[in-house]
mmCIF file with all atom_site columns, all heavy atoms in Angstrom:
data_model
loop_
_atom_site.group_PDB
_atom_site.id
_atom_site.type_symbol
_atom_site.label_atom_id
_atom_site.label_alt_id
_atom_site.label_comp_id
_atom_site.label_asym_id
_atom_site.label_entity_id
_atom_site.label_seq_id
_atom_site.pdbx_PDB_ins_code
_atom_site.Cartn_x
_atom_site.Cartn_y
_atom_site.Cartn_z
_atom_site.occupancy
_atom_site.B_iso_or_equiv
_atom_site.pdbx_formal_charge
_atom_site.auth_seq_id
_atom_site.auth_comp_id
_atom_site.auth_asym_id
_atom_site.auth_atom_id
_atom_site.pdbx_PDB_model_num
ATOM 1  N N   . ARG A 1 61 ? 17.729 -17.029 -4.945  1.00 0.00 ? 61 ARG A N   1
ATOM 2  C CA  . ARG A 1 61 ? 17.536 -15.954 -5.930  1.00 0.00 ? 61 ARG A CA  1
ATOM 3  C C   . ARG A 1 61 ? 18.347 -14.719 -5.578  1.00 0.00 ? 61 ARG A C   1
ATOM 4  O O   . ARG A 1 61 ? 18.847 -14.011 -6.459  1.00 0.00 ? 61 ARG A O   1
ATOM 5  C CB  . ARG A 1 61 ? 16.054 -15.611 -6.043  1.00 0.00 ? 61 ARG A CB  1
ATOM 6  C CG  . ARG A 1 61 ? 15.216 -16.687 -6.720  1.00 0.00 ? 61 ARG A CG  1
ATOM 7  C CD  . ARG A 1 61 ? 13.854 -16.140 -7.085  1.00 0.00 ? 61 ARG A CD  1
ATOM 8  N NE  . ARG A 1 61 ? 13.080 -15.808 -5.901  1.00 0.00 ? 61 ARG A NE  1
ATOM 9  C CZ  . ARG A 1 61 ? 12.051 -14.945 -5.895  1.00 0.00 ? 61 ARG A CZ  1
ATOM 10 N NH1 . ARG A 1 61 ? 11.724 -14.307 -7.013  1.00 0.00 ? 61 ARG A NH1 1
ATOM 11 N NH2 . ARG A 1 61 ? 11.387 -14.708 -4.778  1.00 0.00 ? 61 ARG A NH2 1
ATOM 12 N N   . VAL A 1 62 ? 18.473 -14.445 -4.282  1.00 0.00 ? 62 VAL A N   1
ATOM 13 C CA  . VAL A 1 62 ? 19.299 -13.314 -3.852  1.00 0.00 ? 62 VAL A CA  1
ATOM 14 C C   . VAL A 1 62 ? 20.746 -13.534 -4.260  1.00 0.00 ? 62 VAL A C   1
ATOM 15 O O   . VAL A 1 62 ? 21.411 -12.637 -4.793  1.00 0.00 ? 62 VAL A O   1
ATOM 16 C CB  . VAL A 1 62 ? 19.178 -13.118 -2.328  1.00 0.00 ? 62 VAL A CB  1
ATOM 17 C CG1 . VAL A 1 62 ? 20.201 -12.105 -1.836  1.00 0.00 ? 62 VAL A CG1 1
ATOM 18 C CG2 . VAL A 1 62 ? 17.772 -12.685 -1.951  1.00 0.00 ? 62 VAL A CG2 1
ATOM 19 N N   . ARG A 1 63 ? 21.250 -14.742 -4.024  1.00 0.00 ? 63 ARG A N   1
ATOM 20 C CA  . ARG A 1 63 ? 22.644 -15.030 -4.356  1.00 0.00 ? 63 ARG A CA  1
ATOM 21 C C   . ARG A 1 63 ? 22.889 -14.932 -5.861  1.00 0.00 ? 63 ARG A C   1
ATOM 22 O O   . ARG A 1 63 ? 23.905 -14.371 -6.303  1.00 0.00 ? 63 ARG A O   1
ATOM 23 C CB  . ARG A 1 63 ? 23.027 -16.419 -3.860  1.00 0.00 ? 63 ARG A CB  1
ATOM 24 C CG  . ARG A 1 63 ? 24.478 -16.773 -4.181  1.00 0.00 ? 63 ARG A CG  1
ATOM 25 C CD  . ARG A 1 63 ? 24.873 -18.104 -3.595  1.00 0.00 ? 63 ARG A CD  1
ATOM 26 N NE  . ARG A 1 63 ? 26.316 -18.326 -3.759  1.00 0.00 ? 63 ARG A NE  1
ATOM 27 C CZ  . ARG A 1 63 ? 26.969 -19.339 -3.223  1.00 0.00 ? 63 ARG A CZ  1
ATOM 28 N NH1 . ARG A 1 63 ? 26.317 -20.243 -2.502  1.00 0.00 ? 63 ARG A NH1 1
ATOM 29 N NH2 . ARG A 1 63 ? 28.275 -19.466 -3.386  1.00 0.00 ? 63 ARG A NH2 1
ATOM 30 N N   . GLU A 1 64 ? 21.961 -15.447 -6.632  1.00 0.00 ? 64 GLU A N   1
ATOM 31 C CA  . GLU A 1 64 ? 22.125 -15.398 -8.089  1.00 0.00 ? 64 GLU A CA  1
ATOM 32 C C   . GLU A 1 64 ? 22.243 -13.963 -8.577  1.00 0.00 ? 64 GLU A C   1
ATOM 33 O O   . GLU A 1 64 ? 23.114 -13.635 -9.387  1.00 0.00 ? 64 GLU A O   1
ATOM 34 C CB  . GLU A 1 64 ? 20.931 -16.090 -8.743  1.00 0.00 ? 64 GLU A CB  1
ATOM 35 C CG  . GLU A 1 64 ? 20.984 -16.114 -10.266 1.00 0.00 ? 64 GLU A CG  1
ATOM 36 C CD  . GLU A 1 64 ? 19.791 -16.817 -10.872 1.00 0.00 ? 64 GLU A CD  1
ATOM 37 O OE1 . GLU A 1 64 ? 19.049 -17.498 -10.131 1.00 0.00 ? 64 GLU A OE1 1
ATOM 38 O OE2 . GLU A 1 64 ? 19.570 -16.674 -12.095 1.00 0.00 ? 64 GLU A OE2 1
ATOM 39 N N   . ARG A 1 65 ? 21.379 -13.085 -8.082  1.00 0.00 ? 65 ARG A N   1
ATOM 40 C CA  . ARG A 1 65 ? 21.434 -11.683 -8.492  1.00 0.00 ? 65 ARG A CA  1
ATOM 41 C C   . ARG A 1 65 ? 22.699 -11.012 -7.966  1.00 0.00 ? 65 ARG A C   1
ATOM 42 O O   . ARG A 1 65 ? 23.347 -10.231 -8.679  1.00 0.00 ? 65 ARG A O   1
ATOM 43 C CB  . ARG A 1 65 ? 20.198 -10.951 -7.956  1.00 0.00 ? 65 ARG A CB  1
ATOM 44 C CG  . ARG A 1 65 ? 20.120 -9.482  -8.342  1.00 0.00 ? 65 ARG A CG  1
ATOM 45 C CD  . ARG A 1 65 ? 19.610 -9.284  -9.752  1.00 0.00 ? 65 ARG A CD  1
ATOM 46 N NE  . ARG A 1 65 ? 18.227 -9.694  -9.835  1.00 0.00 ? 65 ARG A NE  1
ATOM 47 C CZ  . ARG A 1 65 ? 17.178 -8.938  -9.515  1.00 0.00 ? 65 ARG A CZ  1
ATOM 48 N NH1 . ARG A 1 65 ? 17.372 -7.704  -9.084  1.00 0.00 ? 65 ARG A NH1 1
ATOM 49 N NH2 . ARG A 1 65 ? 15.958 -9.395  -9.653  1.00 0.00 ? 65 ARG A NH2 1
ATOM 50 N N   . ALA A 1 66 ? 23.057 -11.299 -6.722  1.00 0.00 ? 66 ALA A N   1
ATOM 51 C CA  . ALA A 1 66 ? 24.229 -10.662 -6.119  1.00 0.00 ? 66 ALA A CA  1
ATOM 52 C C   . ALA A 1 66 ? 25.508 -11.037 -6.855  1.00 0.00 ? 66 ALA A C   1
ATOM 53 O O   . ALA A 1 66 ? 26.384 -10.193 -7.098  1.00 0.00 ? 66 ALA A O   1
ATOM 54 C CB  . ALA A 1 66 ? 24.325 -11.042 -4.645  1.00 0.00 ? 66 ALA A CB  1
ATOM 55 N N   . GLU A 1 67 ? 25.639 -12.293 -7.217  1.00 0.00 ? 67 GLU A N   1
ATOM 56 C CA  . GLU A 1 67 ? 26.843 -12.724 -7.925  1.00 0.00 ? 67 GLU A CA  1
ATOM 57 C C   . GLU A 1 67 ? 26.904 -12.130 -9.319  1.00 0.00 ? 67 GLU A C   1
ATOM 58 O O   . GLU A 1 67 ? 27.996 -11.815 -9.820  1.00 0.00 ? 67 GLU A O   1
ATOM 59 C CB  . GLU A 1 67 ? 26.879 -14.246 -7.985  1.00 0.00 ? 67 GLU A CB  1
ATOM 60 C CG  . GLU A 1 67 ? 27.169 -14.897 -6.630  1.00 0.00 ? 67 GLU A CG  1
ATOM 61 C CD  . GLU A 1 67 ? 27.162 -16.407 -6.687  1.00 0.00 ? 67 GLU A CD  1
ATOM 62 O OE1 . GLU A 1 67 ? 26.579 -16.959 -7.656  1.00 0.00 ? 67 GLU A OE1 1
ATOM 63 O OE2 . GLU A 1 67 ? 27.717 -17.046 -5.765  1.00 0.00 ? 67 GLU A OE2 1
ATOM 64 N N   . ALA A 1 68 ? 25.767 -11.934 -9.946  1.00 0.00 ? 68 ALA A N   1
ATOM 65 C CA  . ALA A 1 68 ? 25.750 -11.357 -11.284 1.00 0.00 ? 68 ALA A CA  1
ATOM 66 C C   . ALA A 1 68 ? 26.170 -9.890  -11.287 1.00 0.00 ? 68 ALA A C   1
ATOM 67 O O   . ALA A 1 68 ? 26.770 -9.410  -12.250 1.00 0.00 ? 68 ALA A O   1
ATOM 68 C CB  . ALA A 1 68 ? 24.360 -11.512 -11.898 1.00 0.00 ? 68 ALA A CB  1
ATOM 69 N N   . GLU A 1 69 ? 25.873 -9.170  -10.208 1.00 0.00 ? 69 GLU A N   1
ATOM 70 C CA  . GLU A 1 69 ? 26.147 -7.729  -10.199 1.00 0.00 ? 69 GLU A CA  1
ATOM 71 C C   . GLU A 1 69 ? 27.474 -7.372  -9.525  1.00 0.00 ? 69 GLU A C   1
ATOM 72 O O   . GLU A 1 69 ? 27.978 -6.261  -9.698  1.00 0.00 ? 69 GLU A O   1
ATOM 73 C CB  . GLU A 1 69 ? 25.015 -6.991  -9.490  1.00 0.00 ? 69 GLU A CB  1
ATOM 74 C CG  . GLU A 1 69 ? 24.890 -7.294  -8.008  1.00 0.00 ? 69 GLU A CG  1
ATOM 75 C CD  . GLU A 1 69 ? 23.544 -6.895  -7.428  1.00 0.00 ? 69 GLU A CD  1
ATOM 76 O OE1 . GLU A 1 69 ? 22.710 -6.357  -8.168  1.00 0.00 ? 69 GLU A OE1 1
ATOM 77 O OE2 . GLU A 1 69 ? 23.314 -7.133  -6.221  1.00 0.00 ? 69 GLU A OE2 1
ATOM 78 N N   . ARG A 1 70 ? 28.045 -8.298  -8.751  1.00 0.00 ? 70 ARG A N   1
ATOM 79 C CA  . ARG A 1 70 ? 29.286 -7.971  -8.045  1.00 0.00 ? 70 ARG A CA  1
ATOM 80 C C   . ARG A 1 70 ? 30.393 -7.667  -9.037  1.00 0.00 ? 70 ARG A C   1
ATOM 81 O O   . ARG A 1 70 ? 30.580 -8.370  -10.022 1.00 0.00 ? 70 ARG A O   1
ATOM 82 C CB  . ARG A 1 70 ? 29.701 -9.127  -7.130  1.00 0.00 ? 70 ARG A CB  1
ATOM 83 C CG  . ARG A 1 70 ? 30.851 -8.747  -6.198  1.00 0.00 ? 70 ARG A CG  1
ATOM 84 C CD  . ARG A 1 70 ? 31.116 -9.800  -5.150  1.00 0.00 ? 70 ARG A CD  1
ATOM 85 N NE  . ARG A 1 70 ? 31.544 -11.067 -5.729  1.00 0.00 ? 70 ARG A NE  1
ATOM 86 C CZ  . ARG A 1 70 ? 31.978 -12.102 -5.014  1.00 0.00 ? 70 ARG A CZ  1
ATOM 87 N NH1 . ARG A 1 70 ? 32.014 -12.015 -3.699  1.00 0.00 ? 70 ARG A NH1 1
ATOM 88 N NH2 . ARG A 1 70 ? 32.343 -13.210 -5.593  1.00 0.00 ? 70 ARG A NH2 1
ATOM 89 N N   . GLY A 1 71 ? 31.120 -6.609  -8.779  1.00 0.00 ? 71 GLY A N   1
ATOM 90 C CA  . GLY A 1 71 ? 32.188 -6.177  -9.671  1.00 0.00 ? 71 GLY A CA  1
ATOM 91 C C   . GLY A 1 71 ? 31.749 -5.171  -10.711 1.00 0.00 ? 71 GLY A C   1
ATOM 92 O O   . GLY A 1 71 ? 32.592 -4.552  -11.365 1.00 0.00 ? 71 GLY A O   1
ATOM 93 N N   . SER A 1 72 ? 30.447 -4.998  -10.883 1.00 0.00 ? 72 SER A N   1
ATOM 94 C CA  . SER A 1 72 ? 29.938 -4.000  -11.832 1.00 0.00 ? 72 SER A CA  1
ATOM 95 C C   . SER A 1 72 ? 29.759 -2.664  -11.120 1.00 0.00 ? 72 SER A C   1
ATOM 96 O O   . SER A 1 72 ? 29.705 -2.608  -9.884  1.00 0.00 ? 72 SER A O   1
ATOM 97 C CB  . SER A 1 72 ? 28.606 -4.459  -12.417 1.00 0.00 ? 72 SER A CB  1
ATOM 98 O OG  . SER A 1 72 ? 27.623 -4.536  -11.397 1.00 0.00 ? 72 SER A OG  1
#
Side-chain angles (χ1 to χ4, degrees):
R61 289 194 294 158
V62 171
R63 180 176 188 173
E64 180 179 347
R65 181 80 67 84
E67 289 178 340
E69 66 197 359
R70 190 171 63 172
S72 64

